[in-house]
Amino acid sequence: MGLGLYLFAEIIKRHGGHMWLESKPEQGPTFYFSLPLVREQEQASDFSTEKEPQHD
């Protein structure tokens, strides 16, 4: 694995994403990745900081 691919994989991993490849004979590999819209930690902290509505 080249240095660029390693760095790319680390960036994807640190952002909570996934990376994979598919390879076909005589065509070479195709690399794919996915990233969450919101990281799980951020989503969890957003819910924990929500305030309950105050009733007067």
Side-chain angles (χ1 to χ4, degrees):
M1 182 183 326
L3 181 59
L5 188 54
Y6 170 78
L7 293 173
F8 178 73
E10 279 298 307
I11 292 168
I12 297 298
K13 184 173 88 175
R14 290 180 185 206
H15 286 280
H18 301 281
M19 183 177 141
W20 68 98
L21 68 91
E22 294 178 2
S23 181
K24 295 181 181 175
E26 299 182 25
Q27 291 184 359
T30 302
F31 293 87
Y32 298 93
F33 70 95
S34 65
L35 292 170
L37 293 175
V38 178
R39 281 194 255 172
E40 290 180 23
Q41 289 178 338
E42 290 174 358
Q43 190 176 25
S45 66
D46 287 346
F47 289 125
S48 65
T49 59
E50 287 182 6
K51 294 181 180 176
E52 293 290 327
Q54 295 180 354
H55 300 286
D56 293 330

